[in-house]
Amino acid sequence: MPSTVEQSGTVATPQIALLSLQVIRQATTGTLVLGEPLNYRSGTRVYPVSEGTETTRIPVREPATGCLICEFTPSGQQEVELAIKCAKEAFQKWGQMSGLQRSRILLEVARLIREQREEIAVVESINNGKSFFEARLDVDSAWECFEYYAGLASTLSGQHIQLPAGSFAYTRREPLGVCVGIGAWNY
């Protein structure tokens, strides 16, 4: 269970290691056993919801050798719906946070990824067969993206617009809700 550190009184961020050396060794030898589920929902890791009577396990193989890295249980439609429901619930808190609070959370995510850059790149390279150099670039791109949006989060503000006859209008920027994105996977 990761420990939690309070930052500025209201924002708690987990202090966790994303990957251990043991996981990397297991991934390279085909002895990796997933000790915890891959899905993350409502602040904790959870197993996929079983959509049938049998749970299907999917093998993950190293492209370079064909060796088995691990097996996992895939997610289905129910899991997607639960994830969206949980995201909408979490948005109630996220939407009430200031830009500075959201920025701190995103910076913490960037830090965690950056600190385990090499370990993540090793597993990424094993998992999809890309070069270690290219995997490092992907990891760097991930933490840089979080840093970029962290920088924007605290600067978003509305505008005061002067209108004729002493009137004025103003705009306000605020989070609108949950969105779902599906990233391309075409290495």
Side-chain angles (χ1 to χ4, degrees):
M1 189 79 157
S3 62
T4 302
V5 175
E6 288 291 324
Q7 290 186 357
S8 298
T10 58
V11 179
T13 55
Q15 300 295 311
I16 58 173
L18 301 176
L19 295 170
S20 69
L21 188 56
Q22 179 183 9
V23 167
I24 295 168
R25 284 189 188 124
Q26 290 172 339
T28 60
T29 61
T31 60
L32 178 62
V33 176
L34 298 175
E36 59 184 346
L38 297 175
N39 292 346
Y40 191 81
R41 190 173 66 241
S42 295
T44 188
R45 291 194 176 274
V46 295
Y47 287 98
V49 176
S50 179
E51 293 188 346
T53 55
E54 276 188 40
T55 304
T56 304
R57 305 277 297 163
I58 295 179
V60 177
R61 299 195 178 277
E62 183 178 355
T65 65
C67 290
L68 181 70
I69 297 173
C70 67
E71 291 182 339
F72 71 95
T73 304
S75 296
Q77 182 64 35
Q78 281 182 293
E79 193 65 28
V80 172
E81 290 171 9
L82 282 169
I84 292 170
K85 178 182 176 233
C86 290
K88 287 179 178 179
E89 290 169 5
F91 175 73
Q92 298 307 311
K93 288 182 183 177
W94 184 259
Q96 297 302 310
M97 290 180 175
S98 70
L100 184 59
Q101 289 172 309
R102 293 191 300 267
S103 175
R104 287 184 181 131
I105 292 170
L106 295 175
L107 285 172
E108 180 66 7
V109 171
R111 181 191 67 78
L112 289 169
I113 295 170
R114 187 176 52 250
E115 285 180 357
Q116 293 212 329
R117 173 187 187 232
E118 297 300 308
E119 295 89 345
I120 296 170
V122 166
V123 172
E124 181 73 358
S125 180
I126 292 166
N127 183 45
N128 64 36
K130 67 171 47 184
S131 72
F132 185 64
F133 174 80
E134 192 175 348
R136 273 188 187 148
L137 294 176
D138 286 349
V139 175
D140 288 342
S141 176
W143 68 258
E144 288 168 352
C145 183
F146 279 102
E147 276 193 357
Y148 174 79
Y149 286 104
L152 287 180
S154 63
T155 64
L156 295 177
S157 62
Q159 292 181 311
H160 178 270
I161 304 162
Q162 189 66 45
L163 298 173
S167 296
F168 69 92
Y170 70 93
T171 62
R172 187 171 145 176
R173 293 181 179 251
E174 56 189 37
L176 296 177
V178 173
C179 68
V180 175
I182 300 173
W185 189 85
N186 56 354
Y187 295 118

